[in-house]
Amino acid sequence: MSGGDNLEFEIRPNPAPVSDAERNTLLANPGFGRIFTDHMVTIRYADGKGWYEPRVEARAPIPMDPASAVLHYAQEIFEGLKAYTLPDGGIAMFRPDANANRFAQSAQRMAMPQLPGETFLQSLREIITIDRDWLPPGDEGSLYLRPFAYASEVFLGVRPSMEYLYLVIASPVGPYFSGGVKPVSVWVTPDYTRAAPGGTGAAKCGGNYAAGLSAQAEAIENGCDQVVYLDAVERKYIDELGGMNVVFVLDDGTLVTPPLTGTILPGITRDSIIKLAERDGRKVEERPVSLEEWRSGATSGRIREAFACGTAAVITPIGAVKSADGEFVVADGGTGSVTTSLRKQLVDIQRGRASDPFGWVHRVL
Ligand SMILES: *Cc1c(COP(=O)(O)O)cnc(C)c1O
């Protein structure tokens, strides 16, 4: 299976799935990341043996030895993407090949073995197929897919683990913003940075999130919804939020977003927005933006809109920015027209309501 050939997954259906009635109750108001489907995918890895025992089985706790390497040294990576119901009742994933590539990049950074991209994609198709009844009804919800892998070797020495477990779990999710998209406020943390050059900022690993929790708590204490990080070297330039990339819209319609220099996570939503904007004939600049440029631009009107983007919320307008030196408002604190238009274009492609010129929509069923 190391060649990336199609694997034969062993399917072991859950002998006690959630009843139709209970599932429908859960799906009426799924929230985010609270409820889970009946199954999970597991694939094991051992040095010398490669990836083995690909399975679809009942979702259940995983027995774990207290000396499992991940519990001590955090060798772990994950992905996040969504499957949507199409207008004809079919089901599709959005750009799962990009998630497969990023998962491989994250694995490389964390000294983990790379799962072949075709196996990653097949694992997603397997769980969607067996748990297809878990897609929320209506045209706002989706099935959030969470592939991840961790060091499972029982060993306390500090070196890459020789054993790993890859899993996929799935969680039905409702609209991120119940009651419509609303702008968030962000706190520019003066105390914490997210990622330094040479660090793990471009890898999607749990450790980055653990390190960000204190900063997020600081944002809440300061009355803001989300934390935004400055670069670790000069403490001047906007990097990203804890789990979303940042994009600015100038008064001439140009999009500006921080460049991928290794300290920010290469978001697939970010990349999709760049491609959509360029198709619209907009100029897109990938360059550093300082907090000072943001502040003076928001005040002068040069920076008209700002938004955060990522799979969970797609596009979230940024209304207010608070830092140790004071507070300012972007675009009157509301949602700008470019933000609204890009969001609609992207969501319509994801849900199969608009044509898909880039081949982003991968039909599963
Ligand atoms: C996942 C993630 C994003 C957004 O990536 P998408 O592929 O658009 O979901 C942005 N920043 C961080 C830190 C992330 O972990």
Side-chain angles (χ1 to χ4, degrees), residues 9 91 161 177 199-200 227 261 271 287-288 355 364:
F9 280 70
I91 302 176
S161 173
F177 298 100
T200 58
V227 62
T261 58
D271 183 73
R287 62 162 175 86
S355 66
V364 178

Side-chain angles (χ1 to χ4, degrees), residues 78 80 99 102 194 204 209 240-245 265-270 309-312:
F78 67 95
N99 295 90
R102 190 170 64 189
R194 180 181 169 275
K204 210 165 175 72
Y209 279 73
E240 64 170 315
L241 273 57
M244 283 186 272
N245 298 120
L265 200 288
I268 295 160
T269 317
R270 173 190 180 279
C309 59
T311 294

Side-chain angles (χ1 to χ4, degrees), residues 145-167:
L145 304 167
R146 170 54 62 87
F148 62 106
Y150 68 87
S152 54
E153 187 184 356
V154 178
F155 180 60
L156 291 184
V158 179
R159 58 146 172 75
S161 173
M162 297 202 289
E163 294 165 21
Y164 297 87
L165 188 58
Y166 167 79
L167 299 102

Side-chain angles (χ1 to χ4, degrees), residues 133-203:
D133 291 342
W134 282 93
L135 268 106
D139 61 0
E140 289 214 274
S142 55
L143 187 64
Y144 183 80
L145 304 167
R146 170 54 62 87
F148 62 106
Y150 68 87
S152 54
E153 187 184 356
V154 178
F155 180 60
L156 291 184
V158 179
R159 58 146 172 75
S161 173
M162 297 202 289
E163 294 165 21
Y164 297 87
L165 188 58
Y166 167 79
L167 299 102
V168 187
I169 54 175
S171 175
V173 298
Y176 197 85
F177 298 100
S178 38
V181 177
K182 49 178 184 295
V184 295
S185 55
V186 296
W187 166 251
V188 187
T189 174
D191 297 319
Y192 300 101
T193 58
R194 180 181 169 275
T200 58

Side-chain angles (χ1 to χ4, degrees), residues 18-38:
V18 169
S19 71
D20 288 353
E22 194 184 336
R23 190 178 58 243
N24 290 337
T25 306
L26 291 168
L27 290 179
N29 185 17
F32 184 85
R34 277 192 305 113
I35 66 173
F36 298 94
T37 63
D38 290 312

Side-chain angles (χ1 to χ4, degrees), residues 39-101:
H39 297 87
M40 63 184 184
V41 168
T42 58
I43 311 180
R44 284 157 206 289
Y45 178 92
D47 267 16
K49 194 166 173 181
W51 296 97
Y52 67 101
E53 278 182 23
R55 273 187 196 152
V56 179
E57 58 192 296
R59 185 178 176 279
I62 2 177
M64 189 181 265
D65 190 283
S68 294
V70 67
L71 296 178
H72 303 273
Y73 309 125
Q75 209 189 357
E76 187 267 354
I77 56 172
F78 67 95
E79 270 303 327
L81 72 159
K82 286 175 174 172
Y84 302 90
T85 303
L86 300 171
D88 67 2
I91 302 176
M93 296 185 276
F94 183 71
R95 303 190 70 181
D97 47 329
N99 295 90
N101 290 336

